[in-house]
Structures are given as structure tokens and as C-alpha cells.
Amino acid sequence: DIQMTQSPSSLSASLGDRVTITCRASQSISSYLNWYQQNPGKAPKLLIYAASSLQSGVPSRFSGSGSGTDFTLTISSLQPEDFATYFCQQSYRTPLTFGGGTKVEIK
Amino acid sequence: EVQLVESGGGLVKPGGSLRLSCAASGFTFNNAWMSWVRQAPGKGLEWVGRIKSKTDGETTDYAAPVKGRFTISRDDSKNTLYLQMNSLNIEDTAVYYCTKEDSSGYFIWFGSWGQGTLVTVAS
């Protein structure tokens, strides 16, 4: 199975900060990497697919990059609604696997 | 608008069975690949399994922890996805999400999610 490791597991940031979350795959997955945002008590929501493609309706302050084994999700200027947990997920092969999550909290 | 509505969750004893349903609307269900994803309380996301469209053979694939115990099926005439869960154990306690897989070429992602249904396995 492909293991997905996210870092950090949590972070504290202020409104307007630039935030970067890292996801590392245990083997090369090309660009088969997706990012989701989850608010407490809610279902996850797709942000980025294929490593860098922004899902329709998602604000442009979110961006994704990387290929192979190392990927990043960047929020260019943190907004109040961005305080949530973020998950990466590989779709290179089954079993489809997720990273452990990164919780973004208010400093 | 895509809508996925799960039902069938509840409290079940270890060793018991439960069947979840997911009513789909707003898209052509019979063309869609569908997956179940679960989330144990306070934990991360775990893919449970997938069923492809009838056109793609209606084949299924499962995560190791549920293989042989869970079965995913679909009724395209009712636009409904199912998850039959047998031999449940405490570790299966989770919110179960129905998801619609979207794709572009070989790239696949979980584009739409239901609200989830809670399954609690306890004596």
C-alpha cells in the first residue's frame, strides 16, 4: 500500500498568513494527488485534484504543487473560513489512501 | 446539483450486520464510479471500497480491513449505492461517507460527498 504522510499534523496561524502543508508519498505517484478540506462535523470537500488543478468554486488563494513523492498545499492568505483540517489522498493505485490530516488552528 | 444521501447507520453489536444505502441524484448515476469512505471518531479518512459502473464491469475493490466482510453493490434503476457490512467489530465504528468519483483521463478524485451516516459497533 502507498503510505501518505502529512506534515505538520497541526499548525497555528493568523489571519492573512501564508500557510504551507506538505504531503509525502511512500513511492512515486506522479501527479495522482488530491487535497480536501474538512470542517468539524462536516463532510470533506475537494480543493485540488491532480496535484495542482483547482476545483471549480474553490478560492484562488488555494494552490497545489508537486509531483513524484512530494507535494504541497498552500493557502496564500489565511481567511476565517480556512481554519479546518486538510487531507491529501493518492489515486495512483488502490487501495486509495489518505494522509493523516493537518489541522489549521487560529493563533 | 449532485446530492448523495446516506441512511442505515445505527448501533449494532459486535459480530452483527448492517446495510447502508446512499440515494444519489443530480447526475447520471449509472455512469459513475462510487466509493465508500469512513472516518472513525476523531481520526482521519479511510477508503473502504469502490464499485465501478456497469459499463466498466461493475467490478469492486476493497480495503484490506474490510475485504471479505463488506460488500458494495448498486441498483442503477433506483440510483442507489449500498454497503453491506457483516461481522462488524468495534474498529468499524465510524461515520461512513458515500462519494462520487470524478475523473479526467487517469486522474480520479472524490468530487462529491454525502453528509455521512454514523455506525457504532458496541455491546
Side-chain angles (χ1 to χ4, degrees), chain A residues 2 9 15 19 27 36 49-50 99 106:
Chain A
I2 299 174
S9 56
L15 292 176
V19 168
Q27 67 179 81
Y36 303 86
Y49 62 93
I106 302 173

Side-chain angles (χ1 to χ4, degrees), chain A residues 2 4 23-33 51 65-71 90 92:
Chain A
I2 299 174
M4 306 301 294
C23 179
R24 175 164 288 175
S26 60
Q27 67 179 81
S28 177
I29 58 171
S30 183
S31 297
Y32 293 91
L33 190 283
S65 64
S67 67
T69 60
D70 295 317
F71 302 86
Q90 65 82 16
Y92 184 76

Side-chain angles (χ1 to χ4, degrees), chain B residues 12-71:
Chain B
V12 60
K13 288 181 166 43
S17 297
L18 208 58
R19 187 177 84 156
L20 306 184
S21 299
C22 170
S25 61
F27 63 100
T28 306
F29 181 75
N30 59 7
N31 287 344
W33 291 18
M34 303 293 293
S35 271
W36 288 95
V37 174
R38 68 183 180 181
Q39 186 169 36
K43 302 296 185 183
L45 300 168
E46 180 184 27
W47 177 74
V48 171
R50 155 204 280 164
I51 186 166
K52 296 182 179 179
S53 62
K54 189 170 187 176
T55 304
D56 292 312
E58 211 165 299
T59 54
T60 53
D61 198 359
Y62 299 94
V66 308
K67 197 167 187 177
R69 299 188 299 122
F70 289 14
T71 301

